[in-house]
């Protein structure tokens, strides 16, 4: 196995340094820094840094963090997309992270070679997604190569098809990982659920879940970590599922949730989301139960905010800056409040419209929260990069 | 149970206590004499004590006073009382700490770190006081045993394969080894055996994320789950079939956030919802569409609630900072406000009725509720076989009568342009007799009317469609309109008439369907009706304001439920119903004994008195209007409540021999669980078809338009309805006058140079409908149009306009200004009657000083309005204030 991730990425960052940031793929339209590296099995080709966009202070600042952060490549969560050919792996990535519409994804060709996407949610949550061709087209050891270094395997299961093959593949993958001593997390997306009749969905879901659990039990795999989601690219469910997957990658999640819980309780808010406004992935929310419609509403708030700021904002200022906020009152008596954390991440609060809303308290608390969230991410990135440095010295 | 405390359980008083905001946990102890309210700013121990003869909350201790140091311990996320030691309780914290408290000292006895994240739920083991189960956000449920010497006391930890956080857990009251769990983002409810941590013994699949669950105390294998899909499901956990359907399914009004079974009735479950609803509904799981009772004591979202053990009292806290203790009798029972009888007539002659079955248990229960001996003949007569069968066999024709249509349409556009537009836009079909084509015509024409800003005409077309269109369309419309009726009626400023009339003992009130028909009434009558309908609206509002029972959303829920059309009919548009007076009238031979006010009022109560929404209580015949509903309902509501409690005695433990209650509850107040009926059982819905005759309505409508200078409308209505009504009927209705109207209309079209349209209509009349117009096909040649001229229309000079269809340009040249004698070009104006006119400026100047025609024909063009307005008057249309403008 020649491919060394750290090497690959140090090249990437040095490339970024050499060109003085000019080549850095970063714009307001696409600030999630998706460095797409295409490489076949044992060699990687040129790096595709395809955009040349103006930069300003914020991006510079961002880049500073990036540089620090890029060093700890091995520490970064790595997701592996896996599943049968034509089950929708590439579509999901394109839809969420590259703003492709659901219709366009239908025209995507079969993926032939392994693609690695460096993705960022917010600024600090970064991870790699490896998009592997399905088992029919892939070279036999593709999966084995990448699976071993992955932290999570996202298994896409086309529910409209005959899914027994997919289940067998899933079981053999879990078994293989288990035999090799890697008990990684499996996230099973029961995908294309829009093609299944409303009434049958749950039955499919429970059938698949049961079959997998029984088969895993037969293979005597103890304590597997496997999670199932019903998803479709035509609605909110894929974002919701991917939010959950990303959240599971974040080590800061518990701390974040605790912080949000404290703030909701003390400020009498109904719900807080921390949301990446570009790909609408919720990085965290407080632990109160929430209605689906509300989280979809939050996505709508983000859309409204983005649209308005792209129309009325000045052309060279980012969509979110340190003064950004937005309040939307709904006729059902709810207030949606959006506030920035950093240029790509926003806090979205939901509160009931009451006479006794203490705005001052809310503002103070949210500012403290904002500061603490920034602090939290910075500490994590610093400690991890320090660890990385130590590791490299050793 | 402490015997001395028992009398308290009978206390049904409602009392409240002010707490600080943000309380989310409320736990009464197992005796029901102490309660802990906790949350972000609260951690109080309250006792429920009798002070000065009334029960109230007394603060015993505020834990936040003593312990300033450890902050997280003072913001508990959950509280659990020890079932065996009433001085001991445990609290959970956001930091994963478990705290054990002693209320006698009161001190914090122990603090153990169990989890890495918030503990969402803790519960003591029901039989072993040293064992406790915790459920946390970090994905683990842990069994704690204080007898072990481990530092963290954990003896077993449970984890689901998804590693999702635990939202709720509950140990089965019967089998203390079994517990159910609700997970954060999973559509499944796993059930574990405490002795085997490996895999759940059973997994239930719910449709959406489950947030809360509750074991039934009396039916220990019943598990209720509630979650994001707003549904409460009751599962049979003895059934190991993985694909089992829930035993009961109840659609709630919002995301279910907490469930609790009523201790005294195993069919009743109380539920509170997230965010939207400040009420706690008690559902009877057998009746999924109407709550059994609703506690409406709070103004804001419910934080937590709990039944006071072994009683019918509910304790609840809310964001409105109140802790309320309320008995179920203070909750509002919606079904008591639904009318017993309900009838509904549609414009197609369907009469729907819903009434209690004669001689069923519900009726008998009703009897006893009202202290009426079953031998009482009056009420019995009301439900008697004969009356029922008379009603069922009653098949007389119902003449459609309701007539209103008040349009404050001040700006009716009388101009020729609008006449042109209507003439071009309106269609009259192709002689097809099917109702489908009539629907199309009506749709088309109403759209045109809407576009031309004549909502009144649009309404007319829509009513025609409603009356004569086929059943299916009507049904669809009904479904639709039953949801939207209030708003549409309001928008159109139409009020329905009070034309209720008696037949047999029913009041009819044709409501939505006939209301748009044009009015025959003169303006004073209209005014009157307007007043009446205003009163009616006020009355409706009055009733509404008294009625806080059914909120709009519950209404919607019920309508949406496709299975309960009876309820829908009862609640939304019950139009006809029996008034108590009617009921009394027919009870000719009823006993003198009951001829006193009390019983009459009792019967009011049993009768349909207040429906919850809409216009159903509007009653045409005035006698009912004087009845103050609030008086009746308020007064007897209470009376009934108390009566009922005494009436039914203790509940026999009818189908739970394996009751899990530690001891029977002999002193418990009974509920009427065995007297409970779903509406389906107790009502017999019937549907009948009666022919409804609308001929009169149509006749009046068309005459109305003819007399109000809207001949165009009248003719188009006539043409559209021709295939439906048929020659003979039309002849009978209009006694040949309609031939004239059509002819005049054709003539008008020709005068206004709409020759194509005129010919279309002529052809349509002659060929499709066989209407004998008095001229033959050679009359089409425009020059001979005078032969078909109506005798009533005076035309002194031959008009130059229709003189030639072959050479229209020549006619333009021919029109000479009567003042300057120069041929007119472009815009000019002329009188619609004498057809003299000229350049606009000239004519305007002339009419500033004169009233007569400038040509000298003697016609008084200007003051035409004063002339015989009510006769034919078509030309009035063009005279409005001055001679109209004609565009060339």
């Amino acid at each position: 196995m020649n491919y060394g991730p750290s090497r690959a990425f140090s090249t990437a960052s040095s490339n970024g340094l050499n060109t003085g940031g000019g080549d850095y793929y970063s714009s307001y339209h696409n600030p999630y820094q998706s460095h797409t590296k295409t490489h076949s099995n044992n060699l990687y080709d040129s790096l595709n840094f395809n955009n040349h966009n103006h930069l300003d202070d914020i991006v510079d600042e961002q880049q500073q963090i990036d540089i620090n952060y890029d060093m700890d490549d091995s520490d970064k969560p790595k997701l592996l997309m896996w599943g049968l050919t034509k089950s929708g792996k590439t579509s999901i990535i394109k839809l969420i992270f590259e703003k492709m519409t659901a219709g366009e994804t239908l025209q995507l060709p079969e993926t032939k070679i392994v693609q690695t996407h460096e993705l960022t949610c917010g600024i600090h949550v970064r991870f790699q997604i490896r998009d592997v061709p399905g088992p029919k087209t892939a070279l036999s050891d593709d999966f084995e190569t990448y699976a071993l270094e992955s932290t999570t395997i996202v298994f896409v299961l086309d529910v409209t098809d005959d899914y027994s093959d997919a289940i067998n593949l899933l079981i053999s993958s879990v078994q293989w990982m288990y035999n090799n001593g890697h008990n990684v997390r499996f996230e099973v997306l029961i995908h294309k659920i829009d093609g299944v009749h409303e009434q049958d969905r749950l039955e499919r879901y429970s059938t698949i879940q049961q079959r997998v659990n029984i088969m895993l039990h037969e293979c005597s795999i103890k304590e597997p970590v496997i999670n199932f989601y019903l998803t479709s690219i035509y609605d909110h469910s894929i974002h919701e599922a991917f939010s959950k997957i990303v959240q599971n990658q974040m080590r800061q999640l518990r701390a974040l949730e605790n912080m949000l819980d404290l703030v909701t309780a003390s400020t009498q808010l109904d719900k807080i989301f921390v949301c990446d406004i570009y790909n609408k992935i919720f990085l965290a929310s407080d632990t109160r139960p929430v209605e689906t419609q509300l989280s979809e509403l939050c996505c709508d708030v983000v859309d409204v905010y983005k649209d308005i700021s792209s129309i009325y904002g000045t052309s060279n200022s980012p969509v979110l800056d340190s003064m950004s906020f937005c309040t939307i009152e709904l006729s059902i008596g709810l207030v949606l409040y959006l506030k920035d954390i950093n240029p790509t991440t926003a806090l979205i609060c939901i509160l009931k419209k009451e006479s006794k809303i203490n705005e001052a308290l809310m503002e103070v608390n949210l500012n403290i929260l904002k500061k603490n969230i920034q602090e939290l991410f910075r500490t994590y990135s610093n400690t991890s990069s320090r660890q990385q440095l130590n590791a490299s010295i050793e | 149970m402490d015997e001395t405390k028992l009398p308290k359980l009978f206390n049904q008083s409602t009392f409240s206590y002010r707490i600080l905001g943000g309380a989310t946990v409320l736990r009464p102890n197992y005796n029901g004499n102490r309660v802990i309210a906790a949350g972000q700013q609260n951690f109080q121990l309250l006792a429920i004590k009798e002070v000065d003869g009334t029960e109230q909350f007394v603060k015993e201790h505020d834990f936040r006073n003593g312990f300033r140091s450890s902050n997280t311990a003072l913001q508990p996320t959950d509280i659990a009382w020890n079932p065996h030691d009433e001085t001991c309780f445990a609290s959970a914290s956001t930091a994963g700490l478990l705290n054990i408290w002693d209320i006698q000292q009161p001190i914090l006895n122990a603090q153990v770190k169990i989890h890495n994240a918030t503990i969402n739920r803790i519960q003591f083991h029901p039989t072993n006081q040293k064992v406790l189960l915790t459920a946390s956000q970090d994905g683990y449920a842990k069994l704690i045993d204080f007898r072990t010497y481990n530092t963290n006391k954990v003896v077993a930890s449970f984890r689901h394969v998804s590693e999702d956080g635990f939202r709720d857990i509950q140990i089965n009251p019967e089998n203390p080894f079994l517990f159910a769990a609700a997970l954060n983002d999973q559509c499944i409810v796993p059930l574990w055996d405490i002795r085997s941590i490996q895999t759940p013994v059973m997994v239930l699949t719910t449709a959406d994320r489950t947030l809360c669950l509750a074991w039934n105390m009396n039916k220990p294998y019943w598990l209720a789950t509630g979650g994001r899909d707003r549904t409460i499901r009751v599962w049979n956990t003895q059934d190991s079939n993985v694909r089992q359907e829930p035993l009961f399914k109840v659609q709630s009004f919002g995301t279910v956030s907490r469930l609790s079974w009523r201790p005294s009735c195993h069919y009743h479950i109380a539920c509170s919802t997230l965010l939207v609803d400040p009420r706690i509904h008690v559902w009877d799981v057998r009746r999924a569409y109407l709550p059994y009772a609703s506690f409406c004591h709070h103004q804001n979202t419910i934080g937590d609630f709990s039944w006071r053990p072994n009683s019918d009292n509910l304790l609840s806290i809310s964001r409105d900072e109140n802790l309320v203790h309320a008995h179920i009798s203070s909750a509002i029972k919606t079904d008591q406000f639904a009318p017993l009888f309900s009838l509904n007539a549609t414009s197609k002659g369907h009469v729907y009725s819903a009434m209690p079955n004669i001689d069923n248990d519900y009726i008998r229960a009703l009897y006893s509720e009202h202290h009426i001996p079953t031998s009482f003949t009056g009420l019995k007569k009301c439900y008697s076989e004969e009356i029922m069968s008379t009603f069922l066999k009653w098949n007389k024709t119902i003449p459609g009568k309701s007539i209103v249509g008040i349009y404050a349409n001040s700006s009716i556009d009388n101009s020729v342009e609008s006449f042109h537009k209507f003439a071009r836009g309106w269609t009259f079909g192709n002689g097809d007799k099917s109702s489908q084509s009539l629907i199309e015509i009506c749709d088309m024409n109403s759209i045109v009317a809407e576009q031309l800003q004549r909502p009144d005409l649009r309404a007319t077309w829509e009513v025609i469609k409603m009356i004569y269109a086929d059943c299916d369309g009507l049904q669809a419309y009904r479904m639709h309109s039953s949801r939207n009726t209030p708003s549409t009626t309001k928008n159109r400023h139409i009020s329905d008439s009070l034309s209720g009339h008696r037949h047999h003992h029913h009041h009819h009130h044709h409501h939505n369907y006939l209301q748009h028909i044009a009015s025959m009434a003169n303006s004073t009558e209209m005014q009157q009706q307007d007043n009446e309908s205003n009163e009616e609206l006020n009355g409706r509002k009055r009733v509404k304001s008294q009625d806080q029972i059914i909120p709009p959303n519950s209404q919607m829920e019920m309508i949406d439920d496709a299975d309960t059309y009876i309820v829908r009919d009862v609640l939304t548009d019950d139009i006809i119903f029996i008034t108590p007076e009617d009921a009394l009238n027919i009870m000719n031979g009823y006993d003198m004994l009951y001829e006193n006010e009390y019983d009459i009022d009792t019967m009011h109560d049993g009768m349909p008195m207040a429906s919850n929404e809409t216009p159903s209580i509007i009653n045409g015949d005035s006698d009912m209007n004087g009845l103050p509903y609030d008086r009746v309902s308020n007064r007897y509501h209470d009376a009934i409540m108390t009566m009922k409690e005494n009436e039914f005695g203790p509940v026999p433990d009818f189908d739970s021999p394996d009751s899990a209650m530690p001891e029977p509850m002999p002193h418990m107040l009974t509920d009427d669980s065995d007297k409970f009926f779903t509406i389906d059982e107790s009502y017999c819905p019937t549907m009948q078809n009666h022919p409804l005759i609308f001929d009169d309505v149509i006749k009046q409508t068309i005459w109305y338009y003819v007399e109000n200078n809207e001949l165009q409308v009248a003719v188009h209505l006539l043409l559209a309805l021709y295939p439906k009504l048929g020659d003979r009927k039309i002849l009978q209705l209009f006694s040949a006058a309609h031939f004239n109207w059509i002819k005049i209309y054709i003539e008008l079209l020709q005068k206004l140079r709409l020759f194509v349209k005129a010919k279309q209509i002529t052809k349509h009349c002659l060929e499709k409908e066989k209407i004998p117009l008095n001229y033959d096909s050679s009359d089409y040649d425009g020059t001979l149009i005078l032969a078909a001229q109506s005798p009533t229309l005076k035309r002194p000079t031959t008009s130059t306009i229709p003189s030639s269809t072959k050479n229209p340009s020549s006619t333009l040249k021919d029109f000479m200004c009567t003042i300057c004698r120069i041929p007119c070009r472009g815009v000019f104006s002329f009188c619609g009657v004498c057809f003299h006119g000229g350049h606009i400026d000239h004519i305007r100047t002339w009419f500033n000083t004169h009233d007569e025609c400038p040509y000298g024909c003697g016609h008084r063009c200007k003051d035409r309005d004063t002339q015989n307005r009510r006769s034919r008057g078509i030309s009035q249309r063009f005279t409005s204030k001055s001679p109209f403008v004609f565009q060339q």
Side-chain angles (χ1 to χ4, degrees), chain A residues 202-384:
Chain A
L202 252 131
E203 208 194 305
R204 296 266 175 104
Y205 174 83
S206 56
T207 320
I208 292 172
Q209 195 163 20
Q210 244 136 31
R211 269 174 69 179
V212 169
N213 281 341
I214 289 167
M215 285 168 87
L216 286 178
H217 197 74
E218 281 167 359
C219 299
S220 66
I221 294 171
K222 286 183 189 72
E223 298 198 10
V225 182
I226 186 161
N227 204 350
F228 296 86
Y229 307 88
L230 290 175
T231 59
S232 155
I233 51 171
Y234 293 101
D235 59 23
H236 189 62
S237 59
I238 187 70
H239 281 98
E240 209 170 321
F242 233 89
S243 298
K244 198 80 177 118
I245 295 172
V246 171
Q247 282 175 25
N248 286 333
Q249 304 305 315
M250 291 166 53
R251 284 155 304 166
Q252 307 97 324
L253 182 69
R254 296 271 172 252
L256 251 177
E257 277 182 350
N258 265 344
M259 265 155 65
L260 296 176
D261 273 343
L262 283 175
V263 174
T264 42
S266 57
T267 323
Q268 299 268 302
L269 299 173
D270 283 306
K271 190 80 189 167
I272 305 187
F273 293 97
V274 178
C275 176
D276 180 302
I277 63 163
Y278 290 98
N279 40 37
K280 287 184 229 160
I281 285 200
F282 294 122
L283 297 178
S285 75
D286 66 308
T287 54
R288 290 196 197 194
V290 70
E291 303 193 32
T292 336
Q293 295 96 318
L294 282 187
S295 56
E296 283 173 30
L297 260 181
C298 289
C299 284
D300 295 342
V301 175
V302 169
D303 281 336
V304 169
Y305 177 78
K306 261 161 55 184
D307 289 348
I308 297 217
S309 90
S310 68
I311 294 170
Y312 298 103
T314 47
S315 58
N316 58 350
S317 68
V319 171
L320 274 176
D321 59 30
S322 58
M323 296 297 285
S324 294
F325 75 95
C326 149
T327 313
I328 298 178
E329 265 185 54
L330 302 180
S331 58
I332 51 171
L334 289 180
V335 180
L336 303 169
Y337 182 86
L338 180 142
K339 183 179 171 58
D340 76 297
I341 298 176
N342 60 37
T344 61
T345 322
L347 277 175
I348 302 170
C349 311
I350 299 168
L351 56 151
K352 256 190 155 178
K353 189 168 167 48
E354 283 164 341
S355 51
K356 57 177 180 191
I357 296 176
N358 191 338
E359 284 175 41
L361 176 72
M362 205 171 105
E363 194 166 335
V364 169
N365 278 349
L366 290 184
N367 274 327
I368 293 171
L369 178 68
K370 173 183 166 181
K371 215 182 288 167
N372 282 326
I373 292 177
Q374 286 170 341
E375 191 76 14
L376 177 76
F377 280 117
R378 208 165 291 144
T379 333
Y380 263 93
S381 60
N382 287 345
T383 51
S384 49

Side-chain angles (χ1 to χ4, degrees), chain A residues 185 202 205-207 210 224-227 240 244 258 265 270 287 289-292 294 352 354 356, chain B residues 40 137 159 161-164 167 185-186 205-207 209 211 228 243 255 274-275 300-301 319 321:
Chain A
R185 200 181 172 89
L202 252 131
Y205 174 83
S206 56
T207 320
Q210 244 136 31
V225 182
I226 186 161
N227 204 350
E240 209 170 321
K244 198 80 177 118
N258 265 344
D270 283 306
T287 54
V290 70
E291 303 193 32
T292 336
L294 282 187
K352 256 190 155 178
E354 283 164 341
K356 57 177 180 191
Chain B
Q40 183 64 29
Q137 195 67 28
R159 194 207 69 180
V161 287
S162 67
E163 272 193 329
D164 247 324
R167 177 73 64 190
D185 286 314
Q186 298 292 319
T205 310
T206 57
R209 292 165 198 189
L211 297 181
R228 276 208 330 197
R243 294 228 175 78
T255 301
L274 214 59
L275 280 181
N300 207 331
T301 314
R319 265 174 71 167
E321 304 184 353

Side-chain angles (χ1 to χ4, degrees), chain B residues 436-450:
Chain B
Q436 188 54 42
S437 70
L438 179 64
I439 292 176
E440 279 161 18
I441 295 169
C442 293
D443 283 342
M444 181 69 200
N445 291 351
S446 60
I447 290 166
V448 171
E450 175 82 1

